[in-house]
Amino acid sequence: MTSIRRSTLTIPTSVWGASNPLPNIFGSGDIHAQSGFEDAENIDGDGVDERASRGQTALPYLDQDGYLAGEEPREHATIVLENEHLTATFLPGLGGRLWSLVDQATGRELLHQNEAIRFRNLALRNAWFAGGVEWNIGMIGHSPFTSSPVHTAALSGPDGEVGLRFYEYERIRNVSFRVDAWLPEDSTELFIRGTIVNDSPNATPMYWWSNMAVPQASSTRVLAPAASAWKYGHERVLSTVRVPVVDGVDISWPARTLATVDYFFDTAGARMPWITAVDGTGFGLVQASTANLKGRKLFVWGQDPGGRHWQEWVSGADSYCEIQAGLARTQLEYLRMPAETKWSWVEAYGALQLDVAAASSEDWAAATGAVTTDLAGRDLPARLEALQDRDQSGELLVEVIPDGSGWGAVENELRRFEGREPIDPERTPFPTDAVGPDEDYWLRLLRGEPATAAERDPLQPPRSYQIDPRWAPLLRQRADWLALLHLGVIAAAQGSFAEAGALWQASVDQTRNAWALRNLGALAADRGNTADAVGFYRSAHELAPELLPLTRELLTVLHHDGRAAESLALIESLPGSQREDGRVLLAEARAALATGDVGRCRSILDRGLVILDLREGDALLEELWTEYQAAVSSSEPLPARYDFRM
C-alpha cells in the first residue's frame, strides 16, 4: 500500500540571508548560454528555437546571493511517498526537489545526497545546491525555484491512489508548471509527470531538464541508448562524437574523464529514452521517460585539479556526477512552445540490477541492450504512456499547502483586470493568501490604490520587479519616481536600453534614489562607459553605503576604470563586516597590485581568499594569481585552493 506523510529533515545548511535588491539587468549567465545553437551543425530544425540566451538574465527574479560561509543544522519540511519497494523524500521548501530515493529491497540510496545543503553560485539566481533530483524550467541553467519554496498539494487518483503535486507560476516565460509524483502500489518505479501550460496568446521559448545527482566511484558506469553524443567542454563549442570512446577514453566511466564536460546523448527515435548510472555490481538508478523528453546528458566535474576542487566546493568529500533528461537534445537550445499549448511527459525512477558482465561489457551495444531488455520486461514503455494519456479530470487535489510565491495570484488578478480567464484553478490554484510583501505593490497597482509610505521611501529598495510589458500602462498612470524606475526595468528587459536609461534618469530627476542611479551605472558599464559608470555608482553608494551588493559593484567599475587608489580609499572607509567580504578582499588585492603594493596583495592571498559565490567558469582567482606572479616575476604554481579551472 502506498502512503504519503509529512516529516522533517535536519541537515547542515548554509546560513541564509536576504535576496539582493539590485535587479540583475545584464546577468552573469549560465556557461551553456555562451555557445550559440549555430555552433553545432547537426542540431537544427525539428521545431527548435534558435534564440540562444545570450544577454538574458533571471529578471524579474532577484539574485539569491545573501548566504554565508557557515552552515548550521536546519530543519527542512519533507513529504514522503512510500510503498513496499521505494521511499521517495521531497523538499517542498527547496523547489520540490526529490532529495532521496531508497530501494527498499536493498536499503540503498539511489541518489547522491550532499553532506550539507551548501549554497553555491550555479543557479540562475545564484544560490544552488547539489544532490537529489532538481526540476529546471524556463531558462538555460538551474531554475529560479531551485532554492525557493513551491506550492504543494496532495493528490488523489481516479482509483483512490495517492500522489503529490508541486507547482508554481514562472514569470520569465509566463507559464504555469507542475510536477506530479505517483508511486503506485507494487510499483518498483516512482513516476514523475511534468506539465507546462502556456495559456497565453504568445509563443515562448521553453526549456526543461530534470537533473539527477548520482554517486560517482571508480566503478560507476553511465549508459544510455545512443551511438553518438554532442560534447560541450572547456572550448564552449558543441562537437559531435561517437560514444562511448572519445579521444581514447571510455566516457561511460565518469571517473576516467579528466576535464569538466557535458555529453548530450543522441537518443533520436527511441520510444522510451533512458539513462542509468550503475556501480561495479551492476546496481544503480535508472531513469526512463516518454519519447517527448528526449534529451539525455552526462555531466562530470572531471579528475583534473580544478574539477576535483569544484566538486569538493559544492559537495564535500563525496564524489558525484549528474545524469539528466530534457525536452530538447542539448542545454544550448530552446524549443518553441506555441500559444495556448500544454506539454506533458512522464518519467520513471527506480532501481536497476544488471548482470555484472553486461554492465561492464566493452561491447557498448551489449551493455545498453541489457538495460533495454530489463526495462522492456517491466512493460515500462506502455506504463509511462498510459500515465501520460490518463484523463487528469479524475485526479483531485486533496490538500493544498500554499507555501510558494504569490505571483500566480498576482497574475490571476492581472488577467481579471484584462478580462481574461485565470490560470486553471482546478489543477494549479494560486490562493491570494500566498501574497506577501514582495507582491503587494503590484496588487495595489492593479486596484488603483496608492503605494505605501514605505514603498515611496527612496531610501528603501523595491522588493520586487516585473518584466512583462502588460504592467507598463498601469505604471505610466502613476509616473512617480518608483513607477519610472520599474518602467525602466521593463524597457531594459525588452532590450530597449536607451528608453530604460531615459526612464531611470527621469526617476532620479524626480526623486534622487540609489536604485535608478545604480541602474544607470550598470547601463553605462555595459556600454563600456566606465567613467560615467563610476559617477553613477558613487552617487548611488552615497545614498545606500550599507548595501554590500552595491559596494561590490562600485568596486568592480572602479577596477575596470583603472582607479586603484580610489578603490583602496573606499575599502578603508568600509565597515568591518564589508571589509571581510570575499569580493571586497578580491578588489583590495587587485587594487594593491595595481598600486605596486605586492606585499598587501600577497597577505590577502596567503590568508585564504574565499569568494563564496564564485560563478561556475569564472577565472577571477586564477587571473589574480597570474597577475601577482607576473608582478613579482615568479612561477609559483596556482595553489589548489584557488584552482577552479574548468
Side-chain angles (χ1 to χ4, degrees), residues 136-218:
N136 296 307
I137 183 174
M139 293 283 292
I140 290 175
H142 295 280
S143 167
F145 305 102
T146 196
S147 298
S148 297
V150 290
H151 298 288
T152 307
L155 290 173
S156 174
D159 299 319
E161 64 268 34
V162 296
L164 271 175
R165 174 166 295 169
F166 302 104
Y167 65 96
E168 254 296 358
Y169 179 71
E170 201 291 290
R171 294 194 291 152
I172 296 174
R173 302 304 188 201
N174 289 333
V175 298
S176 60
F177 73 94
R178 53 187 188 264
V179 175
D180 295 347
W182 298 97
L183 186 55
E185 289 188 36
D186 300 324
S187 176
T188 56
E189 296 86 24
L190 169 72
F191 291 96
I192 298 292
R193 183 178 60 211
T195 303
I196 304 172
V197 180
N198 177 21
D199 58 357
S200 79
N202 303 308
T204 185
M206 190 46 61
Y207 173 97
W208 180 280
W209 282 80
S210 302
N211 182 2
M212 300 150 257
V214 292
Q216 176 185 300
S218 60

Side-chain angles (χ1 to χ4, degrees), residues 136-415:
N136 296 307
I137 183 174
M139 293 283 292
I140 290 175
H142 295 280
S143 167
F145 305 102
T146 196
S147 298
S148 297
V150 290
H151 298 288
T152 307
L155 290 173
S156 174
D159 299 319
E161 64 268 34
V162 296
L164 271 175
R165 174 166 295 169
F166 302 104
Y167 65 96
E168 254 296 358
Y169 179 71
E170 201 291 290
R171 294 194 291 152
I172 296 174
R173 302 304 188 201
N174 289 333
V175 298
S176 60
F177 73 94
R178 53 187 188 264
V179 175
D180 295 347
W182 298 97
L183 186 55
E185 289 188 36
D186 300 324
S187 176
T188 56
E189 296 86 24
L190 169 72
F191 291 96
I192 298 292
R193 183 178 60 211
T195 303
I196 304 172
V197 180
N198 177 21
D199 58 357
S200 79
N202 303 308
T204 185
M206 190 46 61
Y207 173 97
W208 180 280
W209 282 80
S210 302
N211 182 2
M212 300 150 257
V214 292
Q216 176 185 300
S218 60
S219 63
T220 301
R221 193 176 197 193
V222 172
L223 303 168
S228 64
W230 294 282
K231 176 186 176 183
Y232 185 72
H234 64 87
E235 306 91 350
R236 307 283 172 88
V237 175
L238 279 175
S239 59
T240 303
V241 295
R242 298 287 295 177
V243 292
V245 178
V246 180
D247 297 328
V249 176
D250 189 334
I251 60 97
S252 66
W253 306 87
R256 299 180 185 178
T257 298
L258 181 63
T260 305
V261 65
D262 299 320
Y263 288 101
F264 299 98
F265 296 103
D266 184 358
T267 65
R271 176 187 176 190
M272 183 186 67
W274 55 262
I275 191 166
T276 184
V278 295
D279 62 17
T281 69
F283 179 85
L285 173 76
V286 64
Q287 185 269 1
S289 74
T290 47
N292 52 346
L293 195 73
K294 58 178 172 283
R296 290 299 185 276
K297 171 186 166 181
L298 165 64
F299 166 77
V300 293
W301 284 111
Q303 296 303 311
D304 62 8
R308 289 198 303 272
H309 190 197
W310 260 112
Q311 181 145 287
E312 293 167 0
W313 181 242
V314 301
S315 67
D318 295 332
S319 295
Y320 78 99
C321 60
E322 294 175 2
I323 55 177
Q324 303 186 24
L327 287 173
R329 287 162 291 187
T330 76
Q331 290 175 340
L332 284 76
E333 57 190 307
Y334 293 113
L335 297 182
R336 181 181 184 275
M337 188 173 190
E340 307 294 343
T341 300
K342 181 180 77 172
W343 285 353
S344 186
W345 64 92
V346 179
E347 307 174 52
Y349 294 79
L352 177 69
Q353 179 63 68
L354 293 180
D355 174 77
V356 175
S360 59
S361 175
E362 293 184 5
D363 184 338
W364 179 249
T368 57
V371 182
T372 299
T373 299
D374 181 281
L375 298 181
R378 308 183 194 189
D379 195 28
L380 199 52
R383 293 162 62 205
L384 285 162
E385 291 164 3
L387 182 54
Q388 183 177 24
D389 296 339
R390 186 168 80 179
D391 182 3
Q392 295 186 33
S393 63
E395 299 172 2
L396 303 176
L397 274 64
V398 178
E399 179 187 11
V400 175
I401 306 171
D403 288 342
S405 77
W407 293 114
V410 172
E411 171 64 17
N412 282 338
E413 286 289 328
L414 179 57
R415 292 185 181 195

Side-chain angles (χ1 to χ4, degrees), residues 3 14 216 226 316 489 537:
S3 64
S14 295
Q216 176 185 300
V489 171
Y537 267 108

Side-chain angles (χ1 to χ4, degrees), residues 417 441-451 474 477-478:
F417 181 84
Y441 173 85
W442 304 97
L443 278 184
R444 282 192 295 276
L445 184 64
L446 278 168
R447 296 167 182 169
E449 300 171 2
L474 293 164
Q477 291 178 14
R478 282 195 176 168

Side-chain angles (χ1 to χ4, degrees), residues 3-7 78-82 87-90 164:
S3 64
I4 182 172
R5 66 179 185 273
R6 297 191 202 181
S7 188
T78 63
I79 300 181
V80 181
L81 269 179
E82 187 173 49
T87 302
T89 302
F90 297 86
L164 271 175

